[in-house]
Amino acid sequence: VMITYVIITSFAMLNVVTGVFVEQTQAAAHDDQHNILHAQMQHEDKQLRNLRSLFRQADKDNSGSVTAKEFTDLLEQGSVRAQLAKMGLSRHEAWGLFHILDVDNDGYLSLEEFLFGCIRLQAGVRALDIVSLQYELHKLHKGVDKCRRDCRMNTLNTQDIRQQVEAGFATLSPARGRSRKKTDRARSAPVDVEES
């Protein structure tokens, strides 16, 4: 009986110790997730502050937008090139970046265009981006095909109307219709060119 009591008591104590250990592990994991999320948010805030600072450096006239010239001047600074290198961009890629970031093609980068584009570049290409691009290309391809079909139909309709108009003129004036046929045949006849 005493051995059974010791075994049951030992099992109960191990169960309590295991419960405490599991609870502490879950709390630590929750704190780790919270700390990781907090660190990630701080990192993103720091990146946004750095990008805003870059934008203010480039916007020399304080207009709230950056021109291509201002952007080029910014790229000449060594500290800016170092920051771009941290983002995985070379100076030459950054020049193309201006044109990519200028979404509305007005020759100016707004703060929103600059921040959004740089953040997207830092995130890298994701599968969702590729699928979105494929979807947009598919829509564009369908639009081009529809436009091509519409143009073809308009061409056919124009030819039908032309033939109907010519037939109408031919019925109104039979002599005129015959002279028109003669001029059409004369136009389509090959022309001999003499060499000098």
Side-chain angles (χ1 to χ4, degrees):
V1 173
M2 184 66 154
I3 295 177
T4 308
Y5 174 74
V6 171
I7 291 174
I8 291 175
T9 306
S10 298
F11 184 71
M13 289 297 282
L14 284 174
N15 201 10
V16 169
V17 169
T18 304
V20 170
F21 179 73
V22 168
E23 184 178 322
Q24 287 178 351
T25 304
Q26 286 178 341
H30 182 269
D31 288 344
D32 282 348
Q33 287 177 347
H34 179 72
N35 290 339
I36 290 171
L37 182 62
H38 184 67
Q40 185 178 5
M41 288 174 58
Q42 284 181 334
H43 178 70
E44 289 174 2
D45 285 344
K46 183 179 177 184
Q47 284 181 328
L48 283 174
R49 282 194 305 272
N50 289 342
L51 289 172
R52 280 189 180 101
S53 174
L54 274 177
F55 186 84
R56 283 192 298 275
Q57 284 178 353
D59 186 17
K60 293 178 184 172
D61 60 357
N62 294 322
S63 63
S65 61
V66 174
T67 64
K69 171 83 171 97
E70 290 173 329
F71 195 73
T72 304
D73 292 344
L74 179 73
L75 296 179
E76 296 302 319
Q77 299 175 13
S79 62
V80 173
R81 286 196 301 261
Q83 285 182 340
L84 290 173
K86 284 181 187 176
M87 293 170 48
L89 295 171
S90 72
R91 188 167 96 188
H92 304 290
E93 290 172 323
W95 172 245
L97 173 66
F98 179 85
H99 297 289
I100 292 169
L101 295 179
D102 187 14
V103 177
D104 53 8
N105 292 323
D106 62 354
Y108 298 93
L109 285 180
S110 67
L111 178 62
E112 292 79 21
E113 287 174 325
F114 182 74
L115 291 177
F116 180 74
C118 288
I119 289 169
R120 296 272 302 182
L121 284 173
Q122 286 178 339
V125 177
R126 300 176 307 185
L128 180 61
D129 295 331
I130 293 171
V131 170
S132 296
L133 184 60
Q134 287 174 336
Y135 174 73
E136 292 298 323
L137 286 174
H138 180 70
K139 277 182 19 181
L140 181 64
H141 183 68
K142 286 173 95 175
V144 168
D145 283 346
K146 183 183 181 314
C147 184
R148 188 181 302 138
R149 283 191 307 271
D150 290 348
C151 287
R152 195 174 300 136
M153 289 302 295
N154 287 339
T155 302
L156 293 174
N157 289 341
T158 304
Q159 290 172 350
D160 288 344
I161 292 171
R162 181 176 174 214
Q163 289 173 354
Q164 290 174 0
V165 167
E166 287 177 355
F169 278 126
T171 58
L172 290 175
S173 170
R176 186 174 181 182
R178 278 185 246 127
S179 66
R180 177 121 174 129
K181 287 179 185 175
K182 288 179 185 175
T183 45
D184 285 345
R185 275 190 230 130
R187 284 186 193 152
S188 62
V191 177
D192 291 330
V193 178
E194 294 181 20
E195 294 182 26
S196 38

Short mmCIF file of all heavy atoms in Angstrom, two decimals, residues 58-118:
data_model
loop_
_atom_site.label_atom_id
_atom_site.label_comp_id
_atom_site.label_asym_id
_atom_site.label_seq_id
_atom_site.Cartn_x
_atom_site.Cartn_y
_atom_site.Cartn_z
N ALA A 58 16.31 64.64 -51.11
CA ALA A 58 16.19 64.79 -52.56
C ALA A 58 15.34 66.00 -52.92
O ALA A 58 15.61 66.69 -53.90
CB ALA A 58 15.58 63.54 -53.17
N ASP A 59 14.32 66.29 -52.11
CA ASP A 59 13.40 67.40 -52.39
C ASP A 59 14.01 68.72 -51.92
O ASP A 59 13.62 69.29 -50.91
CB ASP A 59 12.06 67.14 -51.69
CG ASP A 59 10.99 68.16 -52.05
OD1 ASP A 59 11.16 68.87 -53.07
OD2 ASP A 59 10.00 68.26 -51.31
N LYS A 60 14.96 69.22 -52.70
CA LYS A 60 15.72 70.41 -52.32
C LYS A 60 14.86 71.67 -52.30
O LYS A 60 15.11 72.58 -51.52
CB LYS A 60 16.90 70.60 -53.25
CG LYS A 60 17.94 69.50 -53.10
CD LYS A 60 19.07 69.67 -54.07
CE LYS A 60 20.02 68.49 -53.93
NZ LYS A 60 21.05 68.48 -54.94
N ASP A 61 13.85 71.74 -53.15
CA ASP A 61 13.02 72.94 -53.21
C ASP A 61 11.79 72.84 -52.30
O ASP A 61 10.93 73.73 -52.32
CB ASP A 61 12.61 73.25 -54.65
CG ASP A 61 11.80 72.12 -55.28
OD1 ASP A 61 11.60 71.07 -54.63
OD2 ASP A 61 11.38 72.28 -56.44
N ASN A 62 11.70 71.77 -51.51
CA ASN A 62 10.58 71.56 -50.57
C ASN A 62 9.21 71.66 -51.24
O ASN A 62 8.26 72.18 -50.68
CB ASN A 62 10.65 72.55 -49.40
CG ASN A 62 11.86 72.31 -48.55
OD1 ASN A 62 12.25 71.17 -48.32
ND2 ASN A 62 12.50 73.38 -48.07
N SER A 63 9.13 71.13 -52.45
CA SER A 63 7.86 71.17 -53.20
C SER A 63 6.96 69.99 -52.85
O SER A 63 5.80 69.97 -53.26
CB SER A 63 8.15 71.16 -54.70
OG SER A 63 8.81 69.95 -55.06
N GLY A 64 7.48 69.02 -52.14
CA GLY A 64 6.68 67.83 -51.82
C GLY A 64 6.78 66.76 -52.89
O GLY A 64 6.10 65.75 -52.82
N SER A 65 7.62 67.02 -53.89
CA SER A 65 7.85 66.03 -54.94
C SER A 65 9.31 66.11 -55.38
O SER A 65 9.98 67.12 -55.17
CB SER A 65 6.91 66.27 -56.13
OG SER A 65 7.13 67.54 -56.68
N VAL A 66 9.78 65.02 -55.98
CA VAL A 66 11.17 64.93 -56.42
C VAL A 66 11.20 64.81 -57.93
O VAL A 66 10.50 63.97 -58.50
CB VAL A 66 11.86 63.71 -55.76
CG1 VAL A 66 13.26 63.51 -56.30
CG2 VAL A 66 11.89 63.87 -54.26
N THR A 67 11.99 65.64 -58.58
CA THR A 67 12.16 65.56 -60.02
C THR A 67 13.25 64.54 -60.35
O THR A 67 13.99 64.11 -59.46
CB THR A 67 12.55 66.93 -60.61
OG1 THR A 67 13.83 67.28 -60.09
CG2 THR A 67 11.53 68.00 -60.28
N ALA A 68 13.37 64.22 -61.62
CA ALA A 68 14.41 63.29 -62.04
C ALA A 68 15.79 63.87 -61.75
O ALA A 68 16.70 63.15 -61.33
CB ALA A 68 14.26 62.97 -63.53
N LYS A 69 15.96 65.17 -61.94
CA LYS A 69 17.24 65.83 -61.66
C LYS A 69 17.57 65.75 -60.17
O LYS A 69 18.71 65.43 -59.80
CB LYS A 69 17.17 67.30 -62.11
CG LYS A 69 18.34 68.16 -61.70
CD LYS A 69 19.51 68.02 -62.64
CE LYS A 69 20.58 69.04 -62.35
NZ LYS A 69 21.66 68.55 -61.53
N GLU A 70 16.60 66.03 -59.32
CA GLU A 70 16.83 65.94 -57.87
C GLU A 70 17.17 64.51 -57.46
O GLU A 70 18.04 64.28 -56.62
CB GLU A 70 15.59 66.41 -57.10
CG GLU A 70 15.33 67.90 -57.18
CD GLU A 70 14.02 68.32 -56.56
OE1 GLU A 70 13.06 67.51 -56.58
OE2 GLU A 70 13.95 69.45 -56.04
N PHE A 71 16.51 63.56 -58.08
CA PHE A 71 16.76 62.14 -57.77
C PHE A 71 18.17 61.75 -58.21
O PHE A 71 18.88 61.06 -57.48
CB PHE A 71 15.70 61.27 -58.46
CG PHE A 71 15.64 59.87 -57.95
CD1 PHE A 71 15.10 59.56 -56.71
CD2 PHE A 71 16.12 58.82 -58.72
CE1 PHE A 71 15.04 58.27 -56.24
CE2 PHE A 71 16.07 57.51 -58.27
CZ PHE A 71 15.53 57.24 -57.02
N THR A 72 18.59 62.21 -59.38
CA THR A 72 19.94 61.93 -59.88
C THR A 72 20.98 62.55 -58.95
O THR A 72 21.99 61.90 -58.63
CB THR A 72 20.11 62.49 -61.31
OG1 THR A 72 19.10 61.93 -62.14
CG2 THR A 72 21.46 62.14 -61.88
N ASP A 73 20.74 63.79 -58.52
CA ASP A 73 21.67 64.44 -57.59
C ASP A 73 21.76 63.65 -56.28
O ASP A 73 22.84 63.52 -55.70
CB ASP A 73 21.24 65.88 -57.30
CG ASP A 73 21.37 66.78 -58.52
OD1 ASP A 73 22.07 66.39 -59.49
OD2 ASP A 73 20.77 67.88 -58.51
N LEU A 74 20.65 63.14 -55.82
CA LEU A 74 20.63 62.35 -54.59
C LEU A 74 21.48 61.09 -54.74
O LEU A 74 22.19 60.70 -53.82
CB LEU A 74 19.18 61.98 -54.23
CG LEU A 74 18.99 61.13 -52.98
CD1 LEU A 74 19.25 61.97 -51.74
CD2 LEU A 74 17.59 60.55 -52.94
N LEU A 75 21.41 60.47 -55.91
CA LEU A 75 22.14 59.22 -56.14
C LEU A 75 23.66 59.43 -56.18
O LEU A 75 24.41 58.46 -56.07
CB LEU A 75 21.69 58.56 -57.45
CG LEU A 75 20.24 58.11 -57.49
CD1 LEU A 75 19.92 57.51 -58.84
CD2 LEU A 75 19.96 57.11 -56.39
N GLU A 76 24.10 60.66 -56.34
CA GLU A 76 25.53 60.95 -56.37
C GLU A 76 26.15 60.93 -54.98
O GLU A 76 27.36 60.85 -54.85
CB GLU A 76 25.78 62.30 -57.05
CG GLU A 76 25.38 62.34 -58.51
CD GLU A 76 26.10 61.30 -59.35
OE1 GLU A 76 27.31 61.10 -59.14
OE2 GLU A 76 25.45 60.68 -60.20
N GLN A 77 25.32 60.98 -53.94
CA GLN A 77 25.83 61.00 -52.57
C GLN A 77 26.21 59.58 -52.14
O GLN A 77 25.46 58.63 -52.33
CB GLN A 77 24.78 61.56 -51.61
CG GLN A 77 24.38 62.98 -51.92
CD GLN A 77 23.25 63.46 -51.03
OE1 GLN A 77 22.92 62.84 -50.03
NE2 GLN A 77 22.67 64.59 -51.40
N GLY A 78 27.38 59.44 -51.54
CA GLY A 78 27.88 58.14 -51.11
C GLY A 78 26.99 57.47 -50.07
O GLY A 78 26.78 56.26 -50.10
N SER A 79 26.47 58.28 -49.13
CA SER A 79 25.62 57.70 -48.08
C SER A 79 24.33 57.13 -48.67
O SER A 79 23.83 56.10 -48.22
CB SER A 79 25.29 58.75 -47.01
OG SER A 79 24.57 59.82 -47.59
N VAL A 80 23.82 57.79 -49.68
CA VAL A 80 22.59 57.32 -50.33
C VAL A 80 22.87 56.02 -51.09
O VAL A 80 22.08 55.08 -51.04
CB VAL A 80 22.02 58.40 -51.27
CG1 VAL A 80 20.85 57.86 -52.08
CG2 VAL A 80 21.60 59.61 -50.47
N ARG A 81 24.01 55.97 -51.77
CA ARG A 81 24.38 54.74 -52.48
C ARG A 81 24.51 53.58 -51.50
O ARG A 81 24.13 52.45 -51.79
CB ARG A 81 25.65 54.94 -53.28
CG ARG A 81 25.43 55.79 -54.53
CD ARG A 81 26.58 55.65 -55.51
NE ARG A 81 27.86 56.04 -54.95
CZ ARG A 81 28.44 57.22 -55.14
NH1 ARG A 81 27.85 58.12 -55.88
NH2 ARG A 81 29.61 57.49 -54.61
N ALA A 82 25.05 53.87 -50.30
CA ALA A 82 25.18 52.82 -49.29
C ALA A 82 23.81 52.34 -48.83
O ALA A 82 23.58 51.13 -48.68
CB ALA A 82 25.98 53.33 -48.10
N GLN A 83 22.87 53.27 -48.64
CA GLN A 83 21.52 52.87 -48.23
C GLN A 83 20.84 52.06 -49.32
O GLN A 83 20.13 51.10 -49.05
CB GLN A 83 20.68 54.10 -47.87
CG GLN A 83 21.05 54.69 -46.54
CD GLN A 83 20.18 55.87 -46.18
OE1 GLN A 83 19.54 56.50 -47.03
NE2 GLN A 83 20.16 56.20 -44.89
N LEU A 84 21.05 52.46 -50.57
CA LEU A 84 20.46 51.71 -51.68
C LEU A 84 21.07 50.32 -51.76
O LEU A 84 20.37 49.35 -52.07
CB LEU A 84 20.66 52.46 -52.99
CG LEU A 84 19.84 53.74 -53.16
CD1 LEU A 84 20.27 54.48 -54.42
CD2 LEU A 84 18.36 53.45 -53.19
N ALA A 85 22.36 50.22 -51.47
CA ALA A 85 23.01 48.91 -51.48
C ALA A 85 22.41 48.01 -50.40
O ALA A 85 22.24 46.81 -50.61
CB ALA A 85 24.51 49.06 -51.28
N LYS A 86 22.08 48.58 -49.23
CA LYS A 86 21.41 47.81 -48.18
C LYS A 86 20.07 47.28 -48.66
O LYS A 86 19.63 46.22 -48.25
CB LYS A 86 21.19 48.67 -46.94
CG LYS A 86 22.41 48.91 -46.12
CD LYS A 86 22.05 49.74 -44.90
CE LYS A 86 23.27 50.17 -44.12
NZ LYS A 86 22.92 51.05 -43.00
N MET A 87 19.42 48.06 -49.54
CA MET A 87 18.13 47.64 -50.08
C MET A 87 18.31 46.66 -51.24
O MET A 87 17.34 46.13 -51.76
CB MET A 87 17.34 48.86 -50.58
CG MET A 87 16.91 49.79 -49.47
SD MET A 87 16.23 51.37 -50.07
CE MET A 87 15.08 50.87 -51.30
N GLY A 88 19.56 46.45 -51.67
CA GLY A 88 19.82 45.53 -52.76
C GLY A 88 19.75 46.19 -54.13
O GLY A 88 19.55 45.54 -55.14
N LEU A 89 19.92 47.53 -54.16
CA LEU A 89 19.85 48.27 -55.42
C LEU A 89 21.19 48.91 -55.72
O LEU A 89 21.83 49.49 -54.84
CB LEU A 89 18.79 49.38 -55.35
CG LEU A 89 17.35 48.95 -55.20
CD1 LEU A 89 16.49 50.16 -54.92
CD2 LEU A 89 16.88 48.25 -56.45
N SER A 90 21.61 48.84 -56.98
CA SER A 90 22.79 49.58 -57.38
C SER A 90 22.35 50.96 -57.86
O SER A 90 21.16 51.23 -58.03
CB SER A 90 23.52 48.86 -58.52
OG SER A 90 22.79 48.96 -59.72
N ARG A 91 23.30 51.85 -58.07
CA ARG A 91 22.98 53.21 -58.52
C ARG A 91 22.28 53.18 -59.88
O ARG A 91 21.34 53.94 -60.12
CB ARG A 91 24.27 54.02 -58.60
CG ARG A 91 24.05 55.47 -58.86
CD ARG A 91 25.30 56.22 -58.62
NE ARG A 91 26.00 56.41 -59.89
CZ ARG A 91 27.21 56.90 -59.99
NH1 ARG A 91 27.88 57.23 -58.92
NH2 ARG A 91 27.77 57.04 -61.15
N HIS A 92 22.71 52.30 -60.76
CA HIS A 92 22.12 52.24 -62.10
C HIS A 92 20.69 51.71 -62.03
O HIS A 92 19.82 52.17 -62.77
CB HIS A 92 22.98 51.38 -63.01
CG HIS A 92 24.39 51.87 -63.09
ND1 HIS A 92 24.74 53.04 -63.72
CD2 HIS A 92 25.55 51.36 -62.59
CE1 HIS A 92 26.04 53.24 -63.61
NE2 HIS A 92 26.55 52.23 -62.93
N GLU A 93 20.45 50.77 -61.15
CA GLU A 93 19.09 50.27 -60.97
C GLU A 93 18.20 51.35 -60.37
O GLU A 93 17.02 51.42 -60.67
CB GLU A 93 19.09 49.04 -60.06
CG GLU A 93 19.70 47.82 -60.69
CD GLU A 93 19.86 46.69 -59.70
OE1 GLU A 93 20.17 46.95 -58.53
OE2 GLU A 93 19.69 45.54 -60.12
N ALA A 94 18.76 52.18 -59.51
CA ALA A 94 17.99 53.22 -58.87
C ALA A 94 17.51 54.27 -59.89
O ALA A 94 16.43 54.84 -59.74
CB ALA A 94 18.79 53.89 -57.77
N TRP A 95 18.30 54.51 -60.94
CA TRP A 95 17.86 55.44 -61.98
C TRP A 95 16.61 54.90 -62.67
O TRP A 95 15.65 55.62 -62.89
CB TRP A 95 18.96 55.69 -62.99
CG TRP A 95 18.47 56.49 -64.15
CD1 TRP A 95 18.37 56.07 -65.44
CD2 TRP A 95 17.96 57.81 -64.12
NE1 TRP A 95 17.84 57.07 -66.22
CE2 TRP A 95 17.57 58.15 -65.43
CE3 TRP A 95 17.79 58.76 -63.12
CZ2 TRP A 95 17.03 59.38 -65.75
CZ3 TRP A 95 17.26 59.98 -63.45
CH2 TRP A 95 16.89 60.28 -64.75
N GLY A 96 16.62 53.63 -63.00
CA GLY A 96 15.42 53.01 -63.56
C GLY A 96 14.29 53.01 -62.55
O GLY A 96 13.12 53.08 -62.91
N LEU A 97 14.67 52.96 -61.28
CA LEU A 97 13.68 52.98 -60.21
C LEU A 97 12.84 54.25 -60.27
O LEU A 97 11.63 54.21 -60.03
CB LEU A 97 14.40 52.87 -58.86
CG LEU A 97 13.56 53.03 -57.60
CD1 LEU A 97 12.58 51.89 -57.48
CD2 LEU A 97 14.47 53.08 -56.39
N PHE A 98 13.45 55.38 -60.59
CA PHE A 98 12.68 56.63 -60.67
C PHE A 98 11.53 56.48 -61.64
O PHE A 98 10.40 56.85 -61.34
CB PHE A 98 13.58 57.80 -61.09
CG PHE A 98 12.82 59.10 -61.21
CD1 PHE A 98 12.63 59.87 -60.08
CD2 PHE A 98 12.29 59.52 -62.42
CE1 PHE A 98 11.91 61.06 -60.16
CE2 PHE A 98 11.58 60.70 -62.51
CZ PHE A 98 11.39 61.47 -61.38
N HIS A 99 11.80 55.92 -62.80
CA HIS A 99 10.75 55.78 -63.81
C HIS A 99 9.71 54.75 -63.40
O HIS A 99 8.54 54.88 -63.74
CB HIS A 99 11.37 55.44 -65.17
CG HIS A 99 12.28 56.53 -65.65
ND1 HIS A 99 11.82 57.74 -66.08
CD2 HIS A 99 13.63 56.59 -65.74
CE1 HIS A 99 12.83 58.51 -66.42
NE2 HIS A 99 13.94 57.83 -66.22
N ILE A 100 10.14 53.72 -62.68
CA ILE A 100 9.20 52.71 -62.21
C ILE A 100 8.32 53.29 -61.10
O ILE A 100 7.11 53.04 -61.06
CB ILE A 100 9.96 51.47 -61.69
CG1 ILE A 100 10.63 50.76 -62.87
CG2 ILE A 100 9.03 50.52 -60.95
CD1 ILE A 100 11.62 49.68 -62.44
N LEU A 101 8.91 54.07 -60.22
CA LEU A 101 8.17 54.63 -59.09
C LEU A 101 7.20 55.73 -59.53
O LEU A 101 6.18 55.95 -58.88
CB LEU A 101 9.13 55.21 -58.05
CG LEU A 101 10.04 54.22 -57.34
CD1 LEU A 101 10.94 54.96 -56.37
CD2 LEU A 101 9.26 53.14 -56.64
N ASP A 102 7.52 56.41 -60.61
CA ASP A 102 6.66 57.50 -61.10
C ASP A 102 5.42 56.89 -61.77
O ASP A 102 5.31 56.83 -62.98
CB ASP A 102 7.44 58.37 -62.08
CG ASP A 102 6.66 59.61 -62.49
OD1 ASP A 102 5.65 59.93 -61.84
OD2 ASP A 102 7.07 60.24 -63.48
N VAL A 103 4.49 56.47 -60.94
CA VAL A 103 3.33 55.72 -61.40
C VAL A 103 2.47 56.53 -62.36
O VAL A 103 2.00 56.02 -63.38
CB VAL A 103 2.47 55.25 -60.19
CG1 VAL A 103 1.22 54.54 -60.65
CG2 VAL A 103 3.30 54.36 -59.29
N ASP A 104 2.28 57.81 -62.07
CA ASP A 104 1.42 58.63 -62.93
C ASP A 104 2.17 59.27 -64.10
O ASP A 104 1.59 60.04 -64.86
CB ASP A 104 0.68 59.69 -62.12
CG ASP A 104 1.63 60.54 -61.28
OD1 ASP A 104 2.86 60.41 -61.43
OD2 ASP A 104 1.12 61.34 -60.46
N ASN A 105 3.46 58.96 -64.26
CA ASN A 105 4.28 59.42 -65.38
C ASN A 105 4.26 60.93 -65.57
O ASN A 105 4.25 61.42 -66.69
CB ASN A 105 3.86 58.73 -66.69
CG ASN A 105 4.19 57.27 -66.67
OD1 ASN A 105 5.23 56.87 -66.16
ND2 ASN A 105 3.31 56.46 -67.23
N ASP A 106 4.25 61.67 -64.44
CA ASP A 106 4.26 63.12 -64.57
C ASP A 106 5.66 63.72 -64.42
O ASP A 106 5.83 64.93 -64.47
CB ASP A 106 3.31 63.75 -63.54
CG ASP A 106 3.72 63.46 -62.10
OD1 ASP A 106 4.66 62.68 -61.88
OD2 ASP A 106 3.06 64.01 -61.19
N GLY A 107 6.67 62.86 -64.25
CA GLY A 107 8.04 63.34 -64.12
C GLY A 107 8.41 63.74 -62.70
O GLY A 107 9.49 64.27 -62.47
N TYR A 108 7.51 63.51 -61.76
CA TYR A 108 7.74 63.83 -60.36
C TYR A 108 7.40 62.62 -59.50
O TYR A 108 6.46 61.89 -59.81
CB TYR A 108 6.86 65.00 -59.90
CG TYR A 108 7.12 66.28 -60.64
CD1 TYR A 108 6.37 66.62 -61.75
CD2 TYR A 108 8.10 67.17 -60.20
CE1 TYR A 108 6.60 67.80 -62.43
CE2 TYR A 108 8.34 68.34 -60.87
CZ TYR A 108 7.59 68.66 -61.98
OH TYR A 108 7.82 69.83 -62.64
N LEU A 109 8.16 62.45 -58.41
CA LEU A 109 7.84 61.42 -57.44
C LEU A 109 7.22 62.09 -56.23
O LEU A 109 7.81 62.98 -55.64
CB LEU A 109 9.10 60.69 -56.98
CG LEU A 109 9.73 59.68 -57.91
CD1 LEU A 109 10.95 59.07 -57.25
CD2 LEU A 109 8.75 58.61 -58.27
N SER A 110 6.02 61.65 -55.87
CA SER A 110 5.44 62.11 -54.62
C SER A 110 6.01 61.25 -53.49
O SER A 110 6.60 60.20 -53.74
CB SER A 110 3.92 62.00 -54.66
OG SER A 110 3.53 60.63 -54.70
N LEU A 111 5.82 61.68 -52.27
CA LEU A 111 6.31 60.91 -51.12
C LEU A 111 5.67 59.53 -51.11
O LEU A 111 6.34 58.53 -50.86
CB LEU A 111 6.01 61.65 -49.81
CG LEU A 111 6.42 60.94 -48.53
CD1 LEU A 111 7.93 60.71 -48.49
CD2 LEU A 111 5.97 61.71 -47.31
N GLU A 112 4.37 59.47 -51.42
CA GLU A 112 3.66 58.19 -51.41
C GLU A 112 4.21 57.25 -52.48
O GLU A 112 4.42 56.07 -52.22
CB GLU A 112 2.16 58.40 -51.63
CG GLU A 112 1.44 59.09 -50.50
CD GLU A 112 1.64 60.61 -50.50
OE1 GLU A 112 1.99 61.19 -51.57
OE2 GLU A 112 1.50 61.21 -49.43
N GLU A 113 4.45 57.77 -53.68
CA GLU A 113 5.02 56.94 -54.74
C GLU A 113 6.39 56.40 -54.33
O GLU A 113 6.70 55.23 -54.52
CB GLU A 113 5.17 57.74 -56.04
CG GLU A 113 3.88 58.04 -56.75
CD GLU A 113 4.09 58.95 -57.95
OE1 GLU A 113 4.96 59.85 -57.90
OE2 GLU A 113 3.36 58.78 -58.95
N PHE A 114 7.20 57.27 -53.74
CA PHE A 114 8.55 56.90 -53.34
C PHE A 114 8.52 55.82 -52.26
O PHE A 114 9.17 54.79 -52.37
CB PHE A 114 9.30 58.14 -52.87
CG PHE A 114 10.72 57.88 -52.48
CD1 PHE A 114 11.69 57.65 -53.45
CD2 PHE A 114 11.10 57.89 -51.15
CE1 PHE A 114 13.01 57.41 -53.09
CE2 PHE A 114 12.41 57.66 -50.79
CZ PHE A 114 13.37 57.42 -51.76
N LEU A 115 7.73 56.06 -51.21
CA LEU A 115 7.68 55.10 -50.09
C LEU A 115 7.11 53.76 -50.55
O LEU A 115 7.68 52.70 -50.25
CB LEU A 115 6.83 55.66 -48.95
CG LEU A 115 7.40 56.84 -48.19
CD1 LEU A 115 6.42 57.33 -47.14
CD2 LEU A 115 8.73 56.50 -47.55
N PHE A 116 5.99 53.80 -51.25
CA PHE A 116 5.33 52.56 -51.67
C PHE A 116 6.26 51.74 -52.57
O PHE A 116 6.42 50.54 -52.38
CB PHE A 116 4.02 52.87 -52.39
CG PHE A 116 3.30 51.65 -52.86
CD1 PHE A 116 2.64 50.83 -51.97
CD2 PHE A 116 3.28 51.30 -54.20
CE1 PHE A 116 1.97 49.70 -52.39
CE2 PHE A 116 2.62 50.18 -54.64
CZ PHE A 116 1.96 49.37 -53.73
N GLY A 117 6.89 52.38 -53.52
CA GLY A 117 7.76 51.67 -54.45
C GLY A 117 8.98 51.09 -53.77
O GLY A 117 9.36 49.94 -54.02
N CYS A 118 9.62 51.86 -52.88
CA CYS A 118 10.81 51.35 -52.19
C CYS A 118 10.47 50.19 -51.27
O CYS A 118 11.21 49.21 -51.19
CB CYS A 118 11.47 52.47 -51.40
SG CYS A 118 12.30 53.70 -52.44
#
